[in-house]
Each structure stands twice: as C-alpha cells, then as structure tokens.
Amino acid sequence: MRLGVARAVFDGEIIEGDVEVEDGLVTAFGASPAGSGGIAVPGFVDIQVNGFAGVDFASASPDDYGRVGTAMAATGVVAYQPTLITLPESHVVAALESLASVEPLDSAPRIIGMHLEGPFLSPQRAGAHDPNSMLDPDPALTERLLAAGPVSTMTLAPERPGALALIELLVGRNIRVSCGHSDATAAQAHAAFDAGATAVTHLFNAQRPFNHRDPGIAGAGLSRSDVTVSIIVDGFHLAEETLRLILAAPAQVALITDAIAAAGRPDGTYSLGDREVHVSGGSARLSDGTLAGSVLTMDAAVRNLVDAGADLPAAIEAATAAPARSAGRHDLGRLAVGSPADIVVLSDDLTVERTLVGGTEVFPPR
C-alpha cells in the first residue's frame, strides 16, 4: 500500500515522494506520484513516561497498558518505556509484576521495558521524588527488582557510594544506565560514563547546576558524543536559550515527555507514584511548586523543538533514533527499506494524522 505522503524523513534527510508498505515492512521511498501533502517519519519513542490518559504506571493493571497504548498512539508514539519514580520496594515490585503480565499486542505501541528512576538517587536533588525513600546503591535490592519484572533502564546518582560497581552490574545484565537526580561533579559523571552509563536524565533538572568552573553532570554529559542527554521541551523545564545551547553540543539529544497520568486529561489533581500533583495551565507541580513531570506529548515536543530552532530532521531524530539508541533498541526509531513499518504520518503543520505499528494502523482507530 501507499501512504499517500508528499515526502519522508529518511536517514536524516527529507526525501520527496511517497512511501510504500507491504507485509508490515517498508518497501520503498520516494515513490511517484507523490501524495498531495504530509510527511512520513519514524514512529516516536518515549523512553521516560510515568503515566498517560489517567493511568499512573506505579499502580497500573495489565489492562491499563492497553488503554495507555491507544492514547499514546494518537500522539505518534510507537514504543515507550514506562517509568517509576522513587518508591518503596514493595510498590516497585508490584508495578514490575503487573508489567510482566502484559500481553504484547501487534496493534499497539511496543513496550520496551520499565525505566526505574530510583531509588539510588541523591536527596539533595530529589525534585518531585520522596528523598526519604532514596538509598545508596544496593546490589541485593537491585537483583530483587530485576527478578520482579522487565527492567530496561535505571537512573541513578553516580556520586553515591557503590554506584560505579552497580553500573557495571547493570551493564553486564544488558540494562541501560542513565545519570540523574544527582549532585555529581563533572569528574564523578565522567567516571560513571566511563563505567558504562550512557545518558543523563532530564538534563539540567534535578541535578547539580552548571557553573563555569564546576560544570557538574550537565556539562560532562553535554561535552561527550557518546552520551545521550534527554530533555523535556514543554516550556517549563528549559528556557529556549538553553535548548539552543543543548542542540549545539556534541551530546546526542533525546526528547522525553516525563508525562504523568494527567497527560491528555483536564487540569486537576493526579498521582505520580506516591506524590500528589496539581496540574494547571500545562504545568504539573507538587503543592510546594516543584515541577513534577509534565503533561507533554511527543508530537508537541517535536513541534516545540522545531519552534526553538531545530531543523525538522534533527527534531525527528531526537524523538526517534536518539531515544531508541539510548534504550539499546536499534530496531526502533528508523525508517529503511526492509525495516518494520513503525511510521507516523504528520501533516504539514506537524500534527499526527496516522500512526502505524508494524504496518498496522493503530491511529486513527479503525
């Protein structure tokens, strides 16, 4: 079948012409005649999402994941990594067991695995997390969590005692390690990256501030081409000038939503793990004003990054291939002849018109 688009983003370039899909695979780019409008891009990959459409992954049932997938497909997401903030062990185990019970569906976004954002974080940079639940890295606790369900990424503070050894343990188990909620110096951050950590979680937020003589984890991450820095482009977490500096740095840039259950829902009070979050005017905050995730969607993040000065291929890369690489999933986030047809069709103003997973149209619903 033909998608009926005028162009596509392929390997970082805009290719004029239509896209052909057969048996769930991409079979051709640049086909003539081209469609009258629209652009086909790889499906978006969100590697940090705490909840969506009224569902908080800390308390989600297996059935809830189906509802979330349907809602996320409408925003162009074809794969995502549900995320848990710092919580007591019993809560994390229950959430992992629930995820382990989810039956994969061919007609829904793919679930990469769970992102554990904690508990081995810094109380000095707690953000919206409960500092009383934060712990020094503990291999025995880590093994219990890994046994409970599919963990794919862990965010930790590399300056905590035992962090480097835990990074090596996780990398040896094929689990990606990101640094965040951290008061690490640049030297401590570099040590973590050299030990196998590959990313910085929501750059500049809940971490040691950048200083010209003390660049901290943000400066260390931005200076390395082998590190992915994830960013929340919602108009609250980062200034536009900061975004422009990030885009000029050597680091790979990945868009995340850090969305909570309020995403796609009206203003009100919602849960983020064991935190109560108040949402108003697009901002999600604790009662003391601390930012607590977001209500951002991936399609909006792409539009916001383009508005901040990124060209379209770079913005698409940040929503697709970059987060997929960060999650260790090189099968996601790219379009190529012979690749799975995980595709989003965007209108000329970059709103989502269609989402396909493995060639099956999951948005709009049939």
Tab-separated table of all heavy atoms in Angstrom, residues 37 54 56 69 93 104 108 113 133 149 198 211-212 222 229 236 252 272 274 283 289 292 310 319 321 325 333-334 350:
chain	number	residue	atom	x	y	z
A	37	GLY	N	0.302	15.916	0.183
A	37	GLY	CA	0.825	16.598	1.358
A	37	GLY	C	1.150	15.611	2.455
A	37	GLY	O	0.909	14.413	2.337
A	54	GLY	N	-4.773	9.255	32.304
A	54	GLY	CA	-5.380	8.895	33.583
A	54	GLY	C	-4.753	7.705	34.273
A	54	GLY	O	-5.158	7.353	35.392
A	56	ASP	N	-1.447	5.895	35.998
A	56	ASP	CA	-0.122	6.044	36.596
A	56	ASP	C	0.516	4.652	36.606
A	56	ASP	O	-0.055	3.697	37.148
A	56	ASP	CB	-0.252	6.591	38.020
A	56	ASP	CG	1.078	6.763	38.725
A	56	ASP	OD1	2.130	6.614	38.077
A	56	ASP	OD2	1.071	7.047	39.941
A	69	GLY	N	-1.663	2.611	25.587
A	69	GLY	CA	-1.135	2.466	24.236
A	69	GLY	C	-2.009	3.131	23.198
A	69	GLY	O	-1.507	3.805	22.289
A	93	VAL	N	8.084	-3.556	43.108
A	93	VAL	CA	7.914	-4.963	42.747
A	93	VAL	C	6.516	-5.210	42.190
A	93	VAL	O	6.344	-5.891	41.162
A	93	VAL	CB	8.198	-5.870	43.960
A	93	VAL	CG1	7.712	-7.295	43.707
A	93	VAL	CG2	9.683	-5.866	44.278
A	104	PRO	N	1.794	-8.683	24.912
A	104	PRO	CA	2.089	-7.801	23.771
A	104	PRO	C	1.016	-7.920	22.694
A	104	PRO	O	0.515	-9.009	22.421
A	104	PRO	CB	3.438	-8.319	23.262
A	104	PRO	CG	4.002	-9.122	24.383
A	104	PRO	CD	2.835	-9.699	25.122
A	108	ALA	N	-0.625	-2.329	18.867
A	108	ALA	CA	-0.431	-1.342	19.928
A	108	ALA	C	1.036	-0.963	19.983
A	108	ALA	O	1.908	-1.734	19.549
A	108	ALA	CB	-0.878	-1.910	21.275
A	113	GLY	N	10.201	-1.890	28.172
A	113	GLY	CA	10.577	-2.393	29.482
A	113	GLY	C	10.442	-1.253	30.465
A	113	GLY	O	10.149	-0.117	30.077
A	133	SER	N	12.882	7.960	50.616
A	133	SER	CA	12.904	6.626	50.010
A	133	SER	C	14.169	6.378	49.202
A	133	SER	O	14.322	5.304	48.610
A	133	SER	CB	11.676	6.429	49.114
A	133	SER	OG	10.485	6.420	49.872
A	149	GLY	N	10.400	-8.186	37.307
A	149	GLY	CA	9.801	-7.837	36.022
A	149	GLY	C	10.830	-7.263	35.080
A	149	GLY	O	12.014	-7.128	35.425
A	198	THR	N	25.322	5.705	29.945
A	198	THR	CA	25.289	6.257	28.582
A	198	THR	C	24.373	7.469	28.423
A	198	THR	O	24.231	7.970	27.311
A	198	THR	CB	24.828	5.182	27.582
A	198	THR	OG1	23.556	4.668	27.988
A	198	THR	CG2	25.837	4.042	27.492
A	211	ASN	N	28.081	25.396	36.332
A	211	ASN	CA	28.875	26.571	36.690
A	211	ASN	C	30.125	26.550	35.824
A	211	ASN	O	30.638	25.475	35.504
A	211	ASN	CB	29.243	26.528	38.179
A	211	ASN	CG	30.079	27.718	38.616
A	211	ASN	OD1	31.280	27.745	38.381
A	211	ASN	ND2	29.447	28.681	39.256
A	212	HIS	N	30.633	27.717	35.464
A	212	HIS	CA	31.752	27.749	34.514
A	212	HIS	C	33.005	27.071	35.050
A	212	HIS	O	33.852	26.630	34.264
A	212	HIS	CB	32.059	29.196	34.096
A	212	HIS	CG	32.482	30.103	35.195
A	212	HIS	ND1	31.651	30.404	36.243
A	212	HIS	CD2	33.648	30.768	35.407
A	212	HIS	CE1	32.284	31.246	37.054
A	212	HIS	NE2	33.487	31.469	36.588
A	222	LEU	N	26.996	16.984	28.257
A	222	LEU	CA	26.936	17.741	27.010
A	222	LEU	C	28.243	17.692	26.244
A	222	LEU	O	28.251	17.850	25.015
A	222	LEU	CB	26.572	19.197	27.307
A	222	LEU	CG	25.112	19.476	27.644
A	222	LEU	CD1	24.947	20.893	28.166
A	222	LEU	CD2	24.230	19.258	26.422
A	229	VAL	N	21.640	12.973	26.125
A	229	VAL	CA	21.003	13.819	27.133
A	229	VAL	C	19.521	13.902	26.788
A	229	VAL	O	19.146	14.262	25.674
A	229	VAL	CB	21.646	15.220	27.205
A	229	VAL	CG1	23.086	15.117	27.675
A	229	VAL	CG2	21.596	15.954	25.875
A	236	PHE	N	8.433	24.719	30.342
A	236	PHE	CA	8.596	24.909	31.787
A	236	PHE	C	9.950	24.419	32.287
A	236	PHE	O	10.552	25.045	33.158
A	236	PHE	CB	7.491	24.181	32.562
A	236	PHE	CG	6.102	24.657	32.247
A	236	PHE	CD1	5.296	23.951	31.379
A	236	PHE	CD2	5.617	25.830	32.805
A	236	PHE	CE1	4.012	24.389	31.079
A	236	PHE	CE2	4.342	26.288	32.507
A	236	PHE	CZ	3.531	25.559	31.636
A	252	GLN	N	24.343	13.520	22.103
A	252	GLN	CA	23.123	13.147	21.405
A	252	GLN	C	21.916	13.616	22.227
A	252	GLN	O	21.927	13.503	23.450
A	252	GLN	CB	23.071	11.634	21.217
A	252	GLN	CG	24.260	11.088	20.440
A	252	GLN	CD	24.280	9.581	20.422
A	252	GLN	OE1	23.365	8.954	19.905
A	252	GLN	NE2	25.321	8.986	20.986
A	272	LEU	N	1.377	10.777	41.049
A	272	LEU	CA	2.641	10.393	40.444
A	272	LEU	C	3.330	9.501	41.466
A	272	LEU	O	3.952	9.989	42.411
A	272	LEU	CB	3.494	11.616	40.112
A	272	LEU	CG	4.944	11.336	39.675
A	272	LEU	CD1	4.987	10.466	38.426
A	272	LEU	CD2	5.695	12.652	39.456
A	274	ASP	N	3.696	7.945	44.702
A	274	ASP	CA	3.098	8.296	45.991
A	274	ASP	C	3.024	9.802	46.198
A	274	ASP	O	2.803	10.275	47.309
A	274	ASP	CB	3.873	7.649	47.143
A	274	ASP	CG	5.363	7.996	47.134
A	274	ASP	OD1	5.791	8.777	46.254
A	274	ASP	OD2	6.089	7.477	47.998
A	283	SER	N	1.157	22.958	33.393
A	283	SER	CA	2.252	22.732	34.330
A	283	SER	C	1.814	21.762	35.411
A	283	SER	O	0.713	21.881	35.966
A	283	SER	CB	2.675	24.069	34.963
A	283	SER	OG	3.642	23.875	35.969
A	289	GLY	N	5.235	23.819	44.689
A	289	GLY	CA	5.623	24.442	43.433
A	289	GLY	C	6.675	23.691	42.646
A	289	GLY	O	6.997	24.078	41.509
A	292	ALA	N	6.733	18.445	38.711
A	292	ALA	CA	6.541	17.008	38.951
A	292	ALA	C	6.127	16.345	37.647
A	292	ALA	O	4.945	16.121	37.388
A	292	ALA	CB	5.492	16.785	40.035
A	310	ALA	N	15.442	24.008	15.909
A	310	ALA	CA	15.950	22.770	15.314
A	310	ALA	C	15.349	22.574	13.932
A	310	ALA	O	14.176	22.891	13.709
A	310	ALA	CB	15.605	21.582	16.205
A	319	ALA	N	13.334	12.524	18.553
A	319	ALA	CA	12.123	11.837	19.011
A	319	ALA	C	12.091	10.366	18.611
A	319	ALA	O	11.167	9.654	19.005
A	319	ALA	CB	10.884	12.528	18.433
A	321	ALA	N	15.294	8.005	16.621
A	321	ALA	CA	16.525	7.210	16.674
A	321	ALA	C	17.328	7.464	17.936
A	321	ALA	O	17.905	6.525	18.508
A	321	ALA	CB	17.376	7.492	15.441
A	325	ARG	N	18.261	4.514	20.494
A	325	ARG	CA	19.647	4.129	20.786
A	325	ARG	C	19.907	4.167	22.283
A	325	ARG	O	20.578	3.282	22.838
A	325	ARG	CB	20.627	5.067	20.075
A	325	ARG	CG	20.778	4.821	18.596
A	325	ARG	CD	22.000	5.562	18.045
A	325	ARG	NE	21.909	6.999	18.260
A	325	ARG	CZ	21.387	7.846	17.383
A	325	ARG	NH1	20.868	7.410	16.247
A	325	ARG	NH2	21.366	9.147	17.646
A	333	GLY	N	12.875	3.434	15.851
A	333	GLY	CA	13.255	4.812	15.611
A	333	GLY	C	13.895	5.102	14.270
A	333	GLY	O	14.544	6.142	14.117
A	334	ARG	N	13.720	4.228	13.279
A	334	ARG	CA	14.335	4.482	11.982
A	334	ARG	C	13.429	3.960	10.869
A	334	ARG	O	12.644	3.035	11.070
A	334	ARG	CB	15.703	3.817	11.874
A	334	ARG	CG	15.660	2.314	12.123
A	334	ARG	CD	17.062	1.716	12.226
A	334	ARG	NE	17.751	1.728	10.955
A	334	ARG	CZ	17.700	0.730	10.071
A	334	ARG	NH1	16.952	-0.342	10.307
A	334	ARG	NH2	18.382	0.808	8.954
A	350	LEU	N	2.823	19.489	11.303
A	350	LEU	CA	3.425	18.545	12.254
A	350	LEU	C	2.450	18.027	13.306
A	350	LEU	O	2.847	17.694	14.419
A	350	LEU	CB	4.666	19.161	12.932
A	350	LEU	CG	5.767	19.674	11.990
A	350	LEU	CD1	6.958	20.166	12.793
A	350	LEU	CD2	6.179	18.596	10.989
